[in-house]
Amino acid sequence: MFSFFKKKPQPEPAVAKEAVPQALPAAATSTAEEIVEPAPSSPEAKRSWLARLKSGLSKTSSNLTTLFIGAKIGDELYEELESALLVSDAGVEATQFLLDALKKKVKDEKLTEADQVRNALRELLIDLLRPLQKPLVLGRHQPLVMMIAGVNGAGKTTTIGKLAKHLQAHEQSVLLAAGDTFRAAAREQLTIWGERNNITVIAQESGDPAAVAFDAVHSAQARGTNVVMVDTAGRLPTQLHLMDELKKIKRVIAKAMDTAPHEVLLVIDGNTGQNALAQVKAFDDALGLTGLVVTKLDGTAKGGILAAIAKTRPVPLYFIGVGEKIDDLQAFDAEEFVDALLS
Ligand SMILES: Nc1nc2c(ncn2[C@@H]2O[C@H](COP(=O)(O)OP(=O)(O)O)[C@@H](O)[C@H]2O)c(=O)[nH]1
Ligand SMILES: [Mg+2]
């Protein structure tokens, strides 16, 4: 069963004034420590979302499925599979791992039909990706502070907007810190968007992102807000190194609330190929990532990058994005994803 967030009981649910167009789960009332699974989005919304994921991954998908049609099990099939995996951005390490595991499985289970091999690959891929599947647990702290990082254009601000609306739909009040001060207009845009959606946006004329984040956390503590999301820049106007700036923001957030930030998320564009893996490594080394969001899987993304991440730097993948609408951001589900890839 699909779930967007997991939620620990929250004593003071905020009322979302503008609900997202989907069935809202009832407020969680449960005993301590129980984890509540919110209701999934409507079946139509989910179907259209999966359709977009499938069509986004269709290039890889057709490579990975046609090669099994009428194929004999042998070196030729394995070579074709190797190329298809490499072309899908799975990277050398994950490709080799999958091939070795597949050959072993074929031998151990005495598989004789290409279709069985395809199923074996499906199982191996699901096993590889499942460790990335992890729900974002709400209500652990008040406020829950999330810092959102990523290169320019990755989809940070869009993702924050979608997440904010999902959070409101799950009875969470949200406050945003406009920490991307690279573009002058970005701050105003976010502020206007926040007004329309009943979300407070903390911004600052001076534009010091660490100070903005600090104010946002204090403000959320004073107001009893459930979640703070700190938007950050993917590029800087000065010569300052981006990673140094991000580390500073993280340090300053911890000064405002010593357990924070509780989540450090990296947003990556699913179309960046192997460079996405380099981004995960660099941001993780600098910031200690707690989660990922992979966007734009509706475009020309090949999907294999998830296998590369799972093999070399398995940071949990909380959400994937397949378009601009709110319902186009969904919790990552390994089985669902592999089926979209192999169908
Ligand atoms: N097709 C598609 N476009 C997306 C997705 N997520 C973000 N975008 C687009 O990517 C562009 C950059 O997004 P933005 O949030 O401004 O990136 P930022 O620089 O990281 O804040 C915008 O045009 C978004 O509409 C997605 O999942 N699918
Ligand atoms: Mg932005």
Side-chain angles (χ1 to χ4, degrees):
M1 176 57 94
F2 162 88
S3 72
F4 200 88
F5 298 115
K6 288 204 174 179
K7 190 163 150 191
K8 286 209 169 162
Q10 196 66 31
E12 63 318 16
V15 178
K17 292 242 170 67
E18 185 180 317
V20 299
Q22 66 179 37
L24 300 189
T29 47
S30 59
T31 53
E33 292 310 304
E34 190 184 338
I35 288 177
V36 179
E37 300 245 4
S41 15
S42 71
E44 307 86 70
K46 180 157 187 193
R47 256 197 306 278
S48 83
W49 170 76
L50 275 176
R52 223 152 318 146
L53 178 62
K54 270 184 198 166
S55 83
L57 299 174
S58 61
K59 257 195 184 154
T60 302
S61 180
S62 69
N63 277 345
L64 280 175
T65 46
T66 51
L67 68 90
F68 288 105
I69 296 171
K72 275 208 208 101
I73 300 171
D75 287 348
E76 203 181 319
L77 178 65
Y78 292 128
E79 272 164 33
E80 277 182 35
L81 181 57
E82 182 176 28
S83 316
L85 285 170
L86 288 172
V87 167
S88 82
D89 291 332
V92 176
E93 208 181 329
T95 298
Q96 198 54 52
F97 167 80
L98 284 166
L99 276 176
D100 291 346
L102 188 65
K103 286 177 189 170
K104 185 173 184 301
K105 210 167 161 75
V106 167
K107 206 173 154 210
D108 291 352
E109 296 175 14
K110 301 187 172 63
L111 306 182
T112 52
E113 307 299 321
D115 216 38
Q116 295 175 316
V117 183
R118 186 182 160 279
N119 274 335
L121 176 66
R122 175 184 176 275
E123 281 166 27
L124 288 170
L125 272 170
I126 292 172
D127 287 347
L128 178 62
L129 297 184
R130 197 175 277 123
L132 298 185
Q133 185 181 319
K134 192 183 165 198
L136 181 61
V137 181
L138 303 174
R140 290 168 287 160
H141 299 274
Q142 193 281 308
L144 184 76
V145 182
M146 305 203 278
M147 177 176 167
I148 322 291
V151 303
N152 232 30
K156 293 180 295 297
T157 308
T158 312
T159 297
I160 287 173
K162 291 179 197 165
L163 265 179
K165 293 205 138 196
H166 278 291
L167 286 162
Q168 284 184 322
H170 287 82
E171 315 292 330
Q172 301 284 295
S173 53
V174 179
L175 190 146
L176 301 184
D180 182 355
T181 47
F182 178 68
R183 281 168 295 186
R187 199 171 51 216
E188 284 74 31
Q189 261 175 25
L190 202 61
T191 308
I192 292 165
W193 179 88
E195 276 164 15
R196 272 198 215 122
N197 293 284
N198 192 35
I199 289 166
T200 309
V201 176
I202 305 285
Q204 239 186 30
E205 287 296 317
S206 77
D208 174 11
V212 174
F214 187 86
D215 285 355
V217 174
H218 272 176
S219 174
Q221 284 170 326
R223 293 162 192 241
T225 309
N226 299 124
V227 180
V228 176
M229 284 190 279
V230 180
D231 195 7
T232 62
R235 187 165 14 130
L236 294 176
T238 61
Q239 294 306 308
L240 255 177
H241 196 279
L242 177 64
M243 293 303 176
D244 291 336
E245 184 70 29
L246 292 173
K247 281 189 208 169
K248 181 182 160 197
I249 296 173
K250 193 182 170 195
R251 271 199 316 274
V252 170
I253 288 174
K255 281 191 185 143
M257 181 179 185
D258 59 8
T259 55
H262 309 104
E263 299 285 352
V264 181
L265 305 188
L266 177 69
V267 178
I268 35 185
D269 177 339
N271 296 290
T272 24
Q274 288 295 296
N275 189 251
L277 189 58
Q279 287 173 22
V280 174
K281 285 181 183 164
F283 281 85
D284 190 32
D285 288 344
L287 298 171
L289 297 175
T290 62
L292 301 175
V293 179
V294 177
T295 63
K296 308 187 199 181
L297 288 171
D298 53 319
T300 53
K302 294 160 176 171
I305 188 63
L306 267 54
I309 291 169
K311 195 69 202 118
T312 51
R313 196 60 72 99
V315 178
L317 174 54
Y318 286 131
F319 306 108
I320 58 177
V322 295
E324 321 260 348
K325 293 204 299 293
I326 298 153
D327 269 324
D328 295 338
L329 186 77
Q330 292 289 346
F332 172 69
D333 180 305
E335 196 170 326
E336 207 170 70
F337 184 85
V338 171
D339 283 336
L341 195 66
L342 288 182
S343 66

